[in-house]
Amino acid sequence: MIDPKFLKPYSPQEAEPRVYKLWEDSGYFNPDNLPGKREKPYTIMMPPPNVTGILHMGHALMLTLEDILIRYKRMRGFKTLWLPGTDHAAIATQSRVEKDIYKAENKNRHDLGREEFLKRVEKFAKESHDTIASQIRIMGASCDWSREAFTLDEKRNLAVRAMFKKMYEDGLIYRGHRIVNWDPKGQTTISDDEIVYEERKGILHTFKYSKDFPISIATTRPETKLGDVGVAVHPDDERYTKYIGKTFEVKDFAGVNLSIKIVGDKEVDPKFGTGAVGLTPAHSHTDWDIAVRHNLPKDKIVINEYGKMTENAGTQFVGKKIAEARELVVDWLKEQGLLEKEEEISQNIATAERTGGIVEPLPKLQWFIDVNKPIVEREGKTLKEIMHRAVANKEIKILPEHFEKTYFHWIENLRDWCISRQIWYGHRIPVWYKDTQIFVGLEAPTETGWEQDPDTLDTWFSSGLWTFSTLGWPEKTQDMSLYHPTDVLETGYEILFFWVARMILMSGYALGQIPFHTIYLHGTVRDAKGRKMSKSLGNGIDPIDVAKKFGTDAGRMALIIGNTPGTDTKISEDKIRGYKNFANKIWNITRFIIENTPDTEYSPDFTEWCESDKKLVTERDNLIAESTKDVEEYRLYMAAEKLYHYSWHSFADIIIEDSKTVFKSGNEKDVMSRKQFLLQTLRLTLITLHPFMPFVTEEIWQTIPTLKSKGLLMIEQWPYSKI
RNA sequence: GCGCCUUUAGCUCAGCUGGUUAGAGCGUGCGAUUCACAUUCGCAAGGUCGUAGGUUCGAUUCCUACAAGGCGCACCA
């Protein structure tokens, strides 16, 4: 008797939660519980979503791609581990919570104090985590919850401390006083990669320090000139060579005394401005470098951490904001008749990715990772070389391939990585100070008087360890030896440098291993018009709403079809609706077949095909073989589309339609052959579509008595496993 | 400034290593539909494959230049 469910349209809302529970309760998400021998492991570490809120379409795409790969490999008999987790996302989470608290209570983090503030952040992170974990389930992700990790939990903290200690002892981590990127809004340093450049209009002022100063200079930041210590010109610039080496005393530059030494440096572009650069080493990266080369004073700081002028800027400027000071200096130059020219130019302003604050270069004592130091344990290779080599010698393959060039280009320009942050939420730096002594270790020294460094680590330091901190490193666990290196790292191309490169660095350094064999980079999910989804535009599609309205399967298909690696993809409700109809189509295919084969036993070894069906078998098997190859070669979009097209436009539209005639004909051999073909193809359709549309296929499998008796579709064997 | 990507039907995109009438989905038009389908099915229209050269027996596919759009990195005094 046909199950009455089939008399109504397929209801993903009803089926999906029930089916997920069935899977989760089976224990098969955990590779230890999978049936059969399964000697070969297949591992994916889930890129941990930030605990700053809820999942968006990008997460849905990531989860879909990874789930397809994992489900496919599980059906191919691999010991599949997909390890889920979340990321504490230090700055992002801290600033989010700060904002909330300020809105609700008009307090900042200092009003609450470190301990109380951290409690609040942890509470927020916990809630956010719970939301995310439930949303990952809604997406149908077949990941091993028993191994779930958090970048800031105890085990990961141990890994972080162990790594810091190891790198410190190898001389790769050092403390240095140098110019860093300071975010006045977030009150912390940030790395070069956390800077976003924004093009803005600025005014280039050309002026002289004093009437009798021989060289005019140009600047967009007149207020910093209060801290100038020199002027740099190109060594071959004939206009200025006669001044190189001389020092000029400027008695009164807007109220301060300046001692300006003229130096020749080839970094100076003689064609820009006047061809002479006023040097402010404390507030400019390039000026700092020039000052180092020519031994000029570097610590004349005129702007502090809050973006205000310091005492060095003179009594009339101290305490004033940058913008105000800038106007005052310009006014003064005008009054003195020193301003020669003002022109509008466009310039790139460095802003902090997370807070949007304008980045102020400042000299500070910070912790760095040396990317150019030869490592004894690694045959004298540097971290840069470790990162470069893994991709260059094809140990790691990037998809799409052209991102390799981007990757190499980034490595070439890489400078030492500043890893200390002046924020509270994150891994505390495992360094203790007592007078002039420094102690670096896993635990605090037992004697009294030691104080721990107040700073925390860049969040990407802990994410860099993700492929192995999740497996228990630094302990020598069974998981470590079985699952590392992992197989695929699937993530968005925008975090290739932030994260992917750092994992290659950390794994290569600490283990002498690559972290993964293949990098699959997906693009950004955009709206129907190609715009980025954002809160302010209100054009976002919430994957959870999609699940409610159309079903997760439909959302997954819409995300995957037409989506090639590295390319942005557009999605709309219309597209999703199409795949909702497809789920219903499979539902009705099933209904037709069971209604028309009530007395037919499915026999797996059936060979008595009539002539016309022989062709159908070949066609179908070729299609499955092609799709299998597509999945193996990461053309998931292609496999999904082929299977979709076959099910609907061959199997349903042609073959099933034709069956109506065959059944009427009454030719017994033909009828039997066709019935067997329909049953067999239904079974194969469900199996091959399962990685893409896991819910509807499993629901059907569980509803048909003969298929259900074989257990879960999730662990059914993929056909033609020789491919 | 250095580099990467994209440019194929009205829209969104496929087209793997060059080879018969260039494909899909959506949309459009016409027709059918109490017979698995909160619909579905059939048929049809629609493309000088960004522009200009080149390699080749043959190029949407390879090379060069150019144009438009997008992106990354660096500089930014």
Side-chain angles (χ1 to χ4, degrees):
Chain A
M1 204 41 231
I2 184 161
D3 192 300
K5 260 196 237 176
F6 285 110
L7 303 177
K8 285 186 290 180
Y10 170 60
S11 166
Q13 294 78 6
E14 188 277 323
E16 290 182 355
R18 181 165 41 75
V19 169
Y20 193 88
K21 188 160 188 311
L22 192 66
W23 292 329
E24 198 171 358
D25 291 348
S26 77
Y28 294 145
F29 291 171
N30 181 341
D32 300 334
N33 299 333
L34 283 170
K37 266 199 173 165
R38 298 186 187 255
E39 278 152 4
K40 279 204 227 151
Y42 183 85
T43 315
I44 296 178
M45 295 301 169
M46 183 187 296
N50 292 347
V51 287
T52 45
I54 57 172
L55 296 191
H56 56 246
M57 271 301 182
H59 293 115
L61 173 60
M62 159 194 108
L63 293 167
T64 302
L65 287 165
E66 291 169 28
D67 196 46
I68 290 169
L69 292 171
I70 283 287
R71 283 183 188 272
Y72 168 74
K73 289 289 181 178
R74 191 183 290 121
M75 294 170 96
R76 292 290 306 252
F78 285 77
K79 199 173 171 73
T80 45
L81 171 61
W82 185 19
L83 197 149
T86 44
D87 193 323
H88 70 286
I91 294 182
T93 309
Q94 165 157 330
S95 48
R96 166 68 205 266
V97 174
E98 270 186 301
K99 215 181 275 171
D100 287 356
I101 293 176
Y102 192 80
K103 237 188 215 166
E105 304 167 38
N106 206 22
K107 285 180 182 165
N108 66 29
R109 72 188 210 240
H110 298 281
D111 294 332
L112 295 175
R114 189 161 187 152
E115 203 178 322
E116 172 61 21
F117 179 72
L118 281 179
K119 265 190 204 157
R120 303 279 197 98
V121 182
E122 276 153 24
K123 182 166 173 277
F124 173 88
K126 170 79 174 62
E127 287 166 5
S128 180
H129 160 272
D130 294 350
T131 307
I132 289 168
S134 81
Q135 291 183 322
I136 292 174
R137 286 178 166 88
I138 292 171
M139 294 294 103
S142 60
C143 51
D144 181 6
W145 293 103
S146 74
R147 285 179 168 84
E148 188 187 354
F150 178 50
T151 55
L152 193 57
D153 61 20
E154 237 171 83
K155 281 188 176 164
R156 264 43 69 177
N157 182 246
L158 174 66
V160 163
R161 281 176 286 151
M163 181 63 84
F164 190 99
K165 182 167 184 280
K166 181 173 166 60
M167 292 184 108
Y168 179 79
E169 283 164 3
D170 284 346
L172 291 171
I173 285 182
Y174 67 94
R175 200 181 191 206
H177 182 71
R178 60 162 66 180
I179 195 153
V180 294
N181 309 306
W182 179 261
D183 170 13
K185 213 166 176 183
Q187 285 293 301
T188 180
T189 52
I190 57 173
S191 67
D192 295 343
D193 295 296
E194 286 166 298
I195 289 178
V196 178
Y197 289 96
E198 282 181 22
E199 196 171 307
R200 290 190 196 171
K201 292 260 189 281
I203 294 171
L204 186 66
H205 309 265
T206 306
F207 72 97
K208 280 183 180 173
Y209 291 108
S210 64
K211 279 265 185 314
D212 51 356
F213 197 84
I215 302 174
S216 299
I217 59 165
T219 185
T220 52
R221 301 199 55 188
E223 76 283 5
T224 62
K225 300 294 105 184
L226 296 160
D228 277 13
V229 298
V231 165
V233 297
H234 195 276
D236 304 331
D237 192 331
E238 288 172 5
R239 291 172 292 178
Y240 306 125
T241 42
K242 57 179 176 264
Y243 302 116
I244 292 173
K246 290 192 176 146
T247 301
F248 295 84
E249 301 296 333
V250 178
K251 282 292 169 246
D252 174 19
F253 180 76
V256 294
N257 295 333
L258 299 179
S259 179
I260 305 288
K261 186 175 182 188
I262 316 295
V263 298
D265 196 286
K266 57 185 176 348
E267 281 298 297
V268 179
D269 177 1
K271 289 190 214 80
F272 188 91
T274 61
V277 188
L279 296 174
T280 324
H283 300 290
S284 153
H285 288 278
T286 42
D287 293 6
W288 173 276
D289 291 344
I290 294 173
V292 168
R293 286 197 285 273
H294 300 278
N295 208 15
L296 295 170
K298 298 191 292 287
D299 275 324
K300 198 166 174 195
I301 295 172
V302 293
I303 297 168
N304 68 14
E305 285 89 342
Y306 302 98
K308 294 195 174 151
M309 305 308 288
T310 67
E311 284 176 8
N312 288 337
T315 46
Q316 59 164 321
F317 290 105
V318 63
K320 294 212 175 351
K321 286 185 180 168
I322 289 173
E324 198 185 343
R326 182 173 303 172
E327 278 183 37
L328 289 173
V329 172
V330 173
D331 287 347
W332 182 85
L333 287 170
K334 278 182 187 159
E335 277 166 29
Q336 300 295 315
L338 295 170
L339 191 65
E340 296 170 354
K341 198 159 73 173
E342 282 185 311
E343 53 186 320
E344 198 178 57
I345 58 164
S346 73
Q347 55 176 357
N348 283 335
I349 301 285
T351 65
E353 188 203 20
R354 293 295 182 187
T355 65
I358 293 177
V359 172
E360 197 63 49
L362 277 179
K364 289 206 156 282
L365 186 58
Q366 297 292 325
W367 289 95
F368 295 88
I369 289 182
D370 189 335
V371 293
N372 291 307
K373 187 187 168 77
I375 304 159
V376 177
E377 207 184 341
R378 299 284 165 249
E379 302 146 7
K381 293 267 184 300
T382 66
L383 291 175
K384 261 191 184 184
E385 286 163 351
I386 287 172
M387 284 190 280
H388 187 275
R389 187 173 56 165
V391 175
N393 69 12
K394 305 281 174 197
E395 271 185 279
I396 298 178
K397 209 176 140 195
I398 304 183
L399 289 173
E401 209 173 336
H402 68 80
F403 271 99
E404 288 182 1
K405 286 184 188 164
T406 316
Y407 176 81
F408 292 139
H409 190 243
W410 175 79
I411 292 176
E412 279 163 30
N413 288 308
L414 188 62
R415 295 189 292 184
D416 284 2
W417 171 19
C418 176
I419 51 169
S420 43
R421 296 288 179 276
Q422 290 67 53
I423 59 171
W424 292 344
Y425 187 55
H427 292 280
R428 189 90 176 251
I429 289 181
V431 176
W432 288 261
Y433 308 100
K434 185 179 181 181
D435 307 321
T436 54
Q437 301 173 80
I438 287 188
F439 176 83
V440 177
L442 297 180
E443 305 294 340
T446 43
E447 325 139 41
T448 56
W450 287 90
E451 260 195 61
Q452 188 169 8
D453 195 304
D455 288 356
T456 50
L457 286 165
D458 181 2
T459 188
W460 299 104
F461 187 96
S462 56
S463 331
L465 317 183
W466 191 242
T467 61
F468 52 95
S469 68
T470 47
L471 295 172
W473 189 89
E475 281 167 46
K476 290 196 171 80
T477 62
Q478 249 192 326
D479 274 5
M480 258 315 272
S481 49
L482 187 59
Y483 298 112
H484 206 277
T486 68
D487 288 275
V488 176
L489 185 276
E490 191 288 319
T491 192
Y493 60 72
E494 72 278 1
I495 53 175
L496 179 61
F497 308 140
F498 276 127
W499 189 42
V500 182
R502 262 104 192 221
M503 284 194 281
I504 300 173
L505 179 157
M506 291 293 191
S507 180
Y509 161 68
L511 312 173
Q513 279 181 7
I514 51 169
F516 28 70
H517 296 283
T518 304
I519 301 168
Y520 184 107
L521 297 170
H522 65 249
T524 309
V525 183
R526 296 168 177 276
D527 75 0
K529 292 176 183 159
R531 299 172 303 183
K532 271 198 178 175
M533 292 185 181
S534 72
K535 274 184 198 151
S536 51
L537 280 175
N539 62 342
I541 298 180
D542 178 354
I544 306 307
D545 286 348
V546 170
K548 275 190 204 144
K549 208 166 162 186
F550 303 105
T552 290
D553 286 333
R556 287 168 63 120
M557 285 295 273
L559 280 169
I560 219 71
I561 290 189
N563 189 336
T564 51
T567 313
D568 291 355
T569 185
K570 299 186 180 77
I571 195 157
S572 62
E573 287 212 345
D574 282 343
K575 189 174 181 189
I576 303 167
R577 190 172 296 113
Y579 295 107
K580 174 185 183 281
N581 292 345
F582 179 53
N584 199 49
K585 190 75 187 179
I586 305 168
W587 192 251
N588 280 296
I589 289 172
T590 309
R591 175 177 167 186
F592 176 87
I593 294 173
I594 46 185
E595 274 178 349
N596 284 280
T597 57
D599 47 356
T600 317
E601 189 87 359
Y602 162 64
S603 63
D605 305 319
F606 186 85
T607 50
E608 315 282 305
W609 306 112
C610 66
E611 277 311 309
S612 60
D613 289 354
K614 264 186 202 162
K615 255 191 213 160
L616 295 181
V617 169
T618 313
E619 252 173 47
R620 180 200 66 201
D621 291 356
N622 285 344
L623 183 275
I624 293 174
E626 278 176 37
S627 308
T628 303
K629 195 159 176 261
D630 287 334
V631 176
E632 286 289 336
E633 292 167 9
Y634 299 101
R635 290 186 299 270
L636 305 185
Y637 60 98
M638 186 67 87
E641 197 173 327
K642 277 181 187 160
L643 292 167
Y644 163 87
H645 199 258
Y646 178 79
S647 313
W648 197 323
H649 300 299
S650 294
F651 191 41
D653 289 351
I654 298 170
I655 299 169
I656 286 182
E657 280 307 315
D658 176 62
S659 303
K660 293 174 186 170
T661 324
V662 174
F663 294 157
K664 273 181 206 150
S665 76
N667 180 323
E668 227 171 272
K669 190 184 167 193
D670 289 358
V671 170
M672 180 48 77
S673 168
R674 183 55 64 93
K675 282 184 176 176
Q676 285 299 334
F677 180 80
L678 292 181
L679 286 168
Q680 195 179 80
T681 306
L682 174 63
R683 193 176 160 273
L684 288 169
T685 299
L686 294 174
I687 293 174
T688 50
L689 276 173
H690 181 258
F692 304 92
M693 307 182 86
F695 287 110
V696 67
T697 49
E698 183 76 76
E699 171 69 357
I700 293 171
W701 191 271
Q702 291 305 316
T703 312
I704 302 178
T706 49
L707 294 177
K708 185 185 176 178
S709 64
K710 301 175 71 113
L712 287 176
L713 175 57
M714 180 175 71
I715 51 160
E716 185 62 30
Q717 202 192 6
W718 187 268
Y720 317 121
S721 46
K722 57 189 173 293
I723 295 158

